[in-house]
Amino acid sequence: MSQDAQPVRSLRLVMVVLAFSCGATVANLYYPQPLLDEISRAFSVSQGAAALVVTLTQLGYAAGMALLMPLGDLLENRGLAARTLVFTTIALVVAGLSPVFGVFLAASVLIGITSVVAQILIPYAAHLAPEEQRGRFVGTVMTGLLLGILLARTVSSLIAEAWGWRTIYLVSAGLMLLVAAAVVRLLPRREPGHDVRYPHLMRSILTLAREEPALRRRAACQALMFGAFSAFWTTVAFELTGRHGLTQTGVGIFALVGAAGAAAAPVAGRLGDRGYGQVASGVALALGAAAMVLADVGVGSLVVLAAAGVLLDLAVQGHQVLSQREIYGLRADARARINTVFMTTIFVGGAAASAIAGAVYDLAGWTGSSLFGAALPVLGLAIWTWSRVRARRGAHTGLTPVG
């Protein structure tokens, strides 16, 4: 074997470990979505109250991105990830054994906070990869992340059908320990180059949000898109089990429609590279709204409901890729902090939408929650339209628009 072959092979192993770790960790956010009906019965709470599990998990994730993710610029990355995963394991065990709903909700918050390891490992992958291969290797890690998101609902449904809904939390707890061990044993150390203090780093994040209007716009629009996504997947399980009489296995199979969203990422990336990013973003926002309306009018048909889920996932994933392509070009030296602003905003939006969708579902059923979800991309489309109008005005006057 040549001297160069071994480092390449070792790097490939590292990237596979990173991809699996990201997917397994981020899946913790999505395991509860198809289980809400069973959770509501187990704790004798309303369906709207059960939806708080999704809300608080996502809020925890947003808090983790805001408070823990910047530590990747200060602390040794491998150790930070492994230690955080130990707390994820503890939180998952508590959730799986919770005797009362309040304890379960508190554990859900901690699961969300510590699952931010997935977002710590993505820039870590970018640092480890050779510059000429960075895109390919980071793409590999992102594929693992996306598969974790897409398969989590199916896996949790199938495990719940076989062994009960609590089992997925205990299985994931064991998996997190394995991931922590793999991170320590197989990944190289990486000491960050920054020597600033944590408070200064946090202040610089706020400065970025204030000084970059494109970042604010992209974060707001994607938060609205993710809000529609969260509204759909938080409440659709109630319709699948109630209206259509599906078992947990059936819900898990239905959740596989989300895998179609993976096809949007490379297409959106190519459109952005060819200069169609702004137009494609508007199309994605419109498609998201149309998908939610289709979900409302076609709820009586599993085929139509699945088609709506496919369209929504395509719109959300495509818009996110287009957004990231734009914002990562703003400041090359601050991509991790830009990602903190972007992803934190998205998950705050998703958490709020989950809570509102659950409450609306209790009051107005599927029609109320689906039309609420449709209104969110429409608002994003209004923001996109306003930004395009201002850009054209700026082009005509020779001035750079500020938003």
Side-chain angles (χ1 to χ4, degrees):
M1 183 182 297
S2 70
Q3 292 181 345
D4 293 337
Q6 185 62 41
V8 170
R9 181 169 296 180
S10 298
L11 183 57
R12 286 175 179 167
L13 174 62
V14 166
M15 292 303 162
V16 169
V17 172
L18 285 169
F20 179 80
S21 300
C22 285
T25 305
V26 80
N28 291 321
L29 306 178
Y30 299 92
Y31 288 141
Q33 286 184 340
L35 308 179
L36 296 181
D37 198 41
E38 292 197 21
I39 290 171
S40 69
R41 291 198 301 269
F43 291 110
S44 299
V45 298
S46 71
Q47 293 172 329
L52 285 175
V53 176
V54 177
T55 299
L56 292 179
T57 304
Q58 290 178 343
L59 281 177
Y61 195 64
M65 286 188 290
L67 300 175
L68 295 183
M69 192 160 66
L71 290 175
D73 285 338
L74 294 177
L75 303 179
E76 195 277 312
N77 288 185
R78 185 182 68 180
L80 173 63
R83 288 192 295 272
T84 306
L85 285 168
V86 172
F87 287 99
T88 312
T89 302
I90 295 170
L92 287 163
V93 171
V94 172
L97 301 177
S98 295
V100 295
F101 191 53
V103 173
F104 183 70
L105 289 179
S108 297
V109 175
L110 186 57
I111 290 170
I113 292 172
T114 56
S115 291
V116 77
V117 164
Q119 294 295 333
I120 293 173
L121 293 179
I122 292 171
Y124 176 50
H127 286 294
L128 293 178
E131 185 174 356
E132 66 276 9
Q133 298 179 341
R134 185 165 296 159
R136 187 179 68 168
F137 282 115
V138 173
T140 299
V141 177
M142 285 299 297
T143 299
L145 181 79
L146 185 57
L147 287 175
I149 294 172
L150 298 177
L151 296 178
R153 293 183 289 264
T154 300
V155 170
S156 66
S157 293
L158 296 178
I159 289 179
E161 180 77 11
W163 299 291
W165 69 268
R166 292 179 182 270
T167 308
I168 185 61
Y169 288 94
L170 302 179
V171 169
S172 186
L175 184 59
M176 290 302 98
L177 284 181
L178 290 176
V179 170
V183 166
V184 171
R185 292 180 61 86
L186 299 176
L187 299 186
R189 290 176 58 85
R190 177 190 171 262
E191 295 287 351
H194 291 280
D195 58 1
V196 299
R197 294 184 179 274
Y198 182 73
H200 175 79
L201 199 68
M202 296 302 292
R203 286 194 298 270
S204 70
I205 293 172
L206 296 176
T207 301
L208 277 171
R210 185 176 64 252
E211 294 180 350
E212 296 293 346
L215 174 58
R216 296 195 302 271
R217 170 174 50 81
R218 281 296 191 175
C221 287
Q222 186 60 26
L224 291 164
M225 286 288 276
F226 189 64
F229 177 90
S230 297
F232 179 86
W233 287 106
T234 297
T235 56
V236 74
F238 300 137
E239 293 296 309
L240 296 175
T241 57
R243 184 189 299 264
H244 296 286
L246 296 188
T247 63
Q248 281 302 136
T249 300
V251 174
I253 294 172
F254 180 89
L256 286 174
V257 303
V267 174
R270 285 194 292 270
L271 288 172
D273 289 341
R274 293 175 182 176
Y276 300 112
Q278 293 298 333
V279 173
S281 295
V283 172
L285 289 162
L287 183 61
M292 291 302 296
V293 172
L294 180 63
D296 176 41
V297 299
V299 67
S301 167
L302 276 176
V303 173
V304 176
L305 203 56
V310 170
L311 292 176
L312 180 62
D313 286 356
L314 286 170
V316 173
Q317 296 297 337
H319 190 271
Q320 176 152 338
V321 170
L322 292 165
S323 297
Q324 288 175 316
R325 185 187 181 281
E326 180 176 350
I327 64 174
Y328 290 159
L330 296 175
R331 297 192 188 183
D333 62 335
R335 284 174 181 156
R337 284 164 286 168
I338 283 173
N339 198 43
T340 297
V341 175
F342 183 68
M343 296 302 298
T344 301
T345 305
I346 289 172
F347 275 87
V348 168
S354 295
I356 296 171
V360 171
Y361 187 88
D362 279 345
L363 294 173
W366 175 252
T367 295
S369 63
S370 58
L371 292 182
F372 162 71
L376 300 178
V378 170
L379 181 56
L381 193 59
I383 296 173
W384 174 87
T385 302
W386 176 242
S387 72
R388 300 307 300 151
V389 169
R390 298 195 69 182
R392 289 193 180 96
R393 289 177 179 172
H396 291 154
T397 61
L399 300 175
T400 302
V402 295

